[in-house]
Amino acid sequence: MDLVSLKLSELLHCGHLGRISGLTIGTKWLFEELQLLVFICSFMVAAPIFGYLGDRFNRKVILSCGIFFWSIVTLSSSFISKEYYWLFVLSRGLVGIGESSYSSISPTIIGDLFTNNSRTMMLSVFYLAIPLGSGLGYILGSSAKEAAGDWHWALRVSPVLGITAGTLILLFVPEPKRGSADQMGGRIKTRTSWFCDMKALAKNRSYVFSSFASAAVSFATGAFGMWIPLYLARAQVVQKTAEPCTQEICSSTDSIIFGVITCVTGLLGVVIGAATTRLCRQKTERADPLVCAVSMLGSAIFICLIFVVAKKSIVGAYVCIFIGETLLFLNWAITADILMFVVIPTRRATAVAFQSFTSHLLGDAGSPYLIGLISDALQQSYATSALWRFLSLGYALMLCPFIIVLGGMFFLATALFFLDDREKAEKQVTRAPLA
């Protein structure tokens, strides 16, 4: 029941994001981006705070309070009229605060309930909720909107489910002792200061390199989610299979197809990643970072091919997107598992929080805007050319595979230090004074 409750909460967490994206079709693009920016910024700022709290206080209480908070904020925002759009944007920031509490703490509870291959499998099941929740968010949000004839009702479905999930966590999810799965539950009673924790994490090479690699994944996914649908729409104009959109609001077909592909590839990536890692661990103890590195480098190849084939074949581009994203998403659960191996239990919430902070700060918080700026700069010379609008965006997006390759290099660096850092963590646990 404990894992089911945690997974349900993650489904609702990710479904909330997907639902908001679906509902903003038909509103101004700038308003949508402002919501996303406010959400990401509030998430980044709040995550380190909840990481600190999660290493020192009752985790399931903090986690449940975060779920209750964003559920209530989401429900309340459904009653905001369009005259107070700024209040709606502010509510996205409050949702980010609530969800950061959840995202920083949940993996650490799973880390203290399971170990080794079992932990990898359970983290994989947990992270399956990311793509599945996004897909369900679109479905539930759209269904509620159509059934009620009012988009506000799309924001009134998940709060009920969120409060249910939070209640289930309080009632059924145990609060395991930190390190119980590592046979150190009850050993470490005196926790080090926050500065000492941060100093230790900064010296943990596997943690640092895997965090940078995670930021590379976030950079690519953030840029793709924003610009790939538009890139494919421009490709169809170049192929003369579609007319240029001169209206403020254009067809969302490419966005929907891309969203479906992202959900499916997310599911496949997590499953394949868990199975591959489990198999490779029989051959090498460095399997976790090596699987991530190979998948990232393979992903970069197929993502590069998107920009080669898109001019001639949209179907070919979608095939490359499918394979590239599947390989890119292989490392979602594995990265969390690497963190569990190399960070001692009493620092894991802080480590997860700052890994999320780094991923957003260096990743999707700025990548969509950077790609847009590069594309606009390239487009200035031939602003009226449909072909050049297509090519300029493609050239800008070519930055993504280079960042992905860099992420693969970071995972290779992680592999170099993984065994040493894991051994250091194990020794620190073993030498901890008995309570």
Side-chain angles (χ1 to χ4, degrees), residues 231-249:
Y231 177 73
L232 295 177
R234 290 182 178 181
Q236 293 174 61
V237 173
V238 171
Q239 295 173 20
K240 301 190 184 303
T241 58
E243 293 295 325
C245 178
T246 56
Q247 302 175 356
E248 183 180 359
I249 304 196

Side-chain angles (χ1 to χ4, degrees), residues 403-419:
I403 296 296
I404 293 173
V405 169
L406 184 61
M409 295 297 105
F410 282 130
F411 273 127
L412 286 177
T414 303
L416 291 176
F417 304 108
F418 178 67
L419 296 183

Side-chain angles (χ1 to χ4, degrees), residues 213 276-277 280 284 286-302 323-324 326-331 334 404-405 407-413 415:
T276 304
T277 303
C280 291
T284 174
R286 303 179 193 270
D288 296 61
L290 287 177
V291 168
C292 291
V294 171
S295 68
M296 289 278 281
L297 297 175
S299 173
I301 294 173
F302 284 96
I323 299 174
T326 300
L327 292 171
L328 190 63
F329 296 151
L330 242 68
N331 59 65
I334 307 174
I404 293 173
V405 169
M409 295 297 105
F410 282 130
F411 273 127
L412 286 177

